[in-house]
Amino acid sequence: PKLRICLENDREVPFLGAVTKLFYKLLLSEMFETPTAENHWAEKYPSINFTRLYSVTNQNGLPPDCHCLNFRLVHRAIFTLEKLFKFGQVVSNTCKACGLYTENLLHLFALCPKLTPIHNFLKDMLHNIFIDYPPDVVNLINYEELMIFGYLGSSKIVNTYFLNFFLSIARLCIFKTRNLKVFHDKEIDTVRLFKFTIRKYIEYAYTYYKIKHQQQIFDKYFLRNNSLLRIEDEKIILFF
């Protein structure tokens, strides 16, 4: 047929020769808009790699709750008290956990004083994860960025899949702790919640890959270069 479409690099491509990927690129070129959150994060963290960020946000094999929370966090789509106060939905933007500071995203996930026990615990575990990293490289890692975005670098020394799995579970537990306080005025031990939750999801992953006869994928994602996790006699052993 003589029908032709203009797609790649301002050149015409025969219709019958066009593949689905080409049509997808056309769709993106016409409908895609840069997320507004990118400007906010780029201003605060100028060196951020958004391609890597979206890859980590949608990391394969994460629990659905983590995928959802990661997406909402990256796109600043979480209704913090700061945001609800601006909308006139609450009478105060002050964090209900500490009662001291405005509850924005950084405060909620990384800076609230009431979360000191869970953050101290996470920092100890991160120290073990990065134990073989050169100290000068570790010193450049920003803990706030880890809690908000995950680890966006690459490494042959550290299991970055497990590291981002670990951080995603931590964010989920912190968010659940916050919601219990905000909506039900109840408190929970976030460290205990984290230990229970990460074990549960690792057990799910282990059972899933075992049933699918894909043990090598579980080993790659969870065991390789990971001092925090072992499998002995088909039992999961976490070293924390």
Side-chain angles (χ1 to χ4, degrees), residues 163-223:
L163 173 57
N164 283 311
F165 181 91
F166 176 94
L167 291 168
S168 292
I169 299 296
R171 283 191 290 271
L172 179 65
C173 292
I174 288 172
F175 191 57
K176 286 185 175 182
T177 299
R178 174 263 187 187
N179 286 348
L180 278 174
K181 182 63 179 177
V182 170
F183 299 114
H184 304 286
D185 196 24
K186 295 182 179 180
E187 297 185 4
I188 189 172
D189 185 335
T190 315
V191 175
R192 288 187 61 190
L193 176 62
F194 172 79
K195 290 180 178 180
F196 169 81
T197 305
I198 194 168
R199 175 178 291 276
K200 178 182 70 173
Y201 283 126
I202 291 174
E203 288 175 348
Y204 285 168
Y206 179 71
T207 302
Y208 171 81
Y209 287 116
K210 184 178 179 181
I211 291 174
K212 300 285 285 186
H213 302 290
Q214 296 176 332
Q215 184 69 38
Q216 73 281 3
I217 297 180
F218 179 86
D219 293 348
K220 175 184 176 181
Y221 284 169
F222 292 92
L223 298 180

Side-chain angles (χ1 to χ4, degrees), residues 23-222:
F23 287 106
Y24 182 65
K25 287 182 178 180
L26 177 63
L27 176 66
L28 290 182
S29 68
E30 294 296 326
M31 302 186 66
F32 174 78
E33 294 183 6
T34 301
T36 57
E38 284 193 11
N39 293 329
H40 173 84
W41 295 127
E43 182 178 342
K44 191 168 184 61
Y45 305 104
S47 63
I48 187 170
N49 182 330
F50 286 105
T51 299
R52 179 62 181 156
L53 173 61
Y54 296 138
S55 176
V56 168
T57 299
N58 297 296
Q59 178 169 284
N60 179 50
L62 282 180
D65 286 349
C66 290
H67 268 145
C68 180
L69 181 60
N70 287 348
F71 180 90
R72 292 174 62 194
L73 179 53
V74 166
H75 291 281
R76 302 180 68 233
I78 292 175
F79 287 103
T80 60
L81 293 179
E82 178 186 52
K83 185 173 289 188
L84 290 173
F85 182 73
K86 289 180 180 179
F87 294 160
Q89 298 299 308
V90 294
V91 297
S92 172
N93 61 10
T94 302
C95 172
K96 290 192 175 184
C98 70
L100 298 173
Y101 305 102
T102 298
E103 188 202 65
N104 54 32
L105 288 176
L106 276 177
H107 180 84
L108 195 166
F109 288 99
L111 301 179
C112 181
K114 290 289 285 185
L115 293 173
T116 298
I118 181 64
H119 287 309
N120 286 342
F121 171 81
L122 294 174
K123 287 175 182 178
D124 285 343
M125 296 303 102
L126 290 171
H127 172 77
N128 292 332
I129 290 174
F130 287 109
I131 193 68
D132 294 324
Y133 244 46
D136 56 328
V137 177
V138 174
N139 291 336
L140 294 175
I141 297 174
N142 184 310
Y143 181 74
E144 291 178 15
E145 288 187 63
L146 278 181
M147 288 308 303
I148 298 296
F149 305 129
Y151 183 70
L152 305 185
S154 59
S155 172
K156 294 182 179 180
I157 302 174
V158 172
N159 185 329
T160 56
Y161 178 93
F162 179 81
L163 173 57
N164 283 311
F165 181 91
F166 176 94
L167 291 168
S168 292
I169 299 296
R171 283 191 290 271
L172 179 65
C173 292
I174 288 172
F175 191 57
K176 286 185 175 182
T177 299
R178 174 263 187 187
N179 286 348
L180 278 174
K181 182 63 179 177
V182 170
F183 299 114
H184 304 286
D185 196 24
K186 295 182 179 180
E187 297 185 4
I188 189 172
D189 185 335
T190 315
V191 175
R192 288 187 61 190
L193 176 62
F194 172 79
K195 290 180 178 180
F196 169 81
T197 305
I198 194 168
R199 175 178 291 276
K200 178 182 70 173
Y201 283 126
I202 291 174
E203 288 175 348
Y204 285 168
Y206 179 71
T207 302
Y208 171 81
Y209 287 116
K210 184 178 179 181
I211 291 174
K212 300 285 285 186
H213 302 290
Q214 296 176 332
Q215 184 69 38
Q216 73 281 3
I217 297 180
F218 179 86
D219 293 348
K220 175 184 176 181
Y221 284 169
F222 292 92

